[in-house]
Amino acid sequence: MAGGASATTTRRPVVLYPSPGMGHLVSMIELGKTLGLRGLPVTIVVIDPPYNTGATAPFLAGVSAANPCISFHRLPKVDRLPPVASEHQEALTFALARASNPHLHAFLASTRPRVLVLDFFCSIALGAARALGVPAYFFFTSGAQVLAYFLHLPVLHASTKSNFKDMGEDELVEMPGLPPFPATHNILPLMDRRDEAYGEFLRVCGELCLADGVIVNTFRSLERRAVDAVVAGKCAPTPKVYCIGPLIKSGEVATTTGGGKEEEGCLAWLDAQPEGSVVFLCFGSIGRFGAEQIKEVARGLEMVSEQRFLWVVRAPPSADPAKKFERPPEPDLEALLPEGFLARTGSRGLVVKSWAPQRDVLAHKAVGGFVTHCGWNSVLEAVMAGVPMIAWPLYAEQRLNRVFLEAELRLAVAVEGYDKGAGVVSAEEVAEKVRWLMESEGGRELRERTMEAKRRAEDALREGGESEATLAGLVDAWRTT
């Protein structure tokens, strides 16, 4: 792996610093590709978590081979992190960035980049950038509505001593630029202000205002109310905001969890299905269900007797806390699914293990619906494909995204039950929502709204479009840095 780019004045790189989550890394790589196409050399700094998430080297090598403008620099691995008082992975990510900061500082000092672009979870690097006189921007990989939430969180924090987790589902949170949302649908690591992750998020929310700018993976016409509130300073004093999206994966390179035969098998199977007939179920790079929930999904799909489906199944989470964040093993489908399920549904459904080429699947003409965990990358891929969504949030900010998708953007219908009791969504609910999306008049109207959002997204990315013009202006400014 390359150890960095040239430090000459003419070829000083833009350095991108993503957090180790695959969704964040992929988004930052897409930003790097876009900058490279505009003539800027790009170096992406990689930090490895101290737990096994699978080898990223083949994936990164493929990116470099296809994009000579991009090099990667891997910081020395942190073998042990100090203990964190949180059950949330985000707390570990913050701790990893802090432990890696001396290595990053040394790299920046030797490279002298023209600009440093930071992931939200890597905000600790702002200090290094300031010390070296390097302009620093955040790249916000979620949408503008979540950005508005974070910018306003310090104000909300100062106004109350309550914990979100102690509020009822009928208690609504109100913030500028956002629809009112139930307190129960707050970002999961922020439900308890005593949690270490909450304190880290609160710190970064204040630091967003210290950057030279915030780049957001969205387009204004998708989230107009939130963007306008942020730009007007209604959430908090804010540096300049650049909406340059939607940036989605432009080439489906296999990630750490699959590729090859799985990709060929998915797309070949879709080729044989009628247009708009398949519902696609996929829950992100780390989204996993317990064994009981997997069986309920299977039962629900069987209940919609004529419905074609493509379902990505991942192994359930480990009961061992030490393996909570590690890459899961391949799922045992025969053990996880109801007896005989694969045989009974084989004529109309395909179940794949762990991974599918999501962007290419969504873009396939056979796909007519998407059951998603509401991760922002997945939302943008669905919008760009014009595929309506069933929202089933699992972790991080996804419950907020579910509210925005359903109440504000009107691009999804949500399943019910994931936030009740044991959190298991019933087979009957799965069947009802799939049937509604694929067969009802309401589902048809949802599909039409999603196609209109697709057209607006394409307009934003065209030459002179709102996102393209914003990015062009930003790159021109960086060239003179």
Side-chain angles (χ1 to χ4, degrees), residues 30-31 45 73 125 147 172 199 201 230 274 304 318 352 389 420 437:
E30 292 308 315
L31 176 61
V45 175
H73 177 86
L147 175 60
L172 298 180
F201 273 96
V230 169
V304 192
S318 172
V352 298
M389 290 167 272
K420 304 290 194 303
L437 181 67

Side-chain angles (χ1 to χ4, degrees), residues 85-110:
S86 177
E87 63 179 11
H88 298 289
Q89 183 173 1
E90 291 87 348
L92 286 175
T93 304
F94 284 123
L96 176 61
R98 181 175 288 107
S100 301
N101 207 43
H103 300 304
L104 177 76
H105 190 287
F107 171 69
L108 294 178
S110 66

Side-chain angles (χ1 to χ4, degrees), residues 7-24:
T8 66
T9 56
T10 56
R11 297 298 292 168
R12 287 186 303 141
V14 173
V15 169
L16 309 182
Y17 189 26
S19 65
M22 182 55 70
H24 291 248

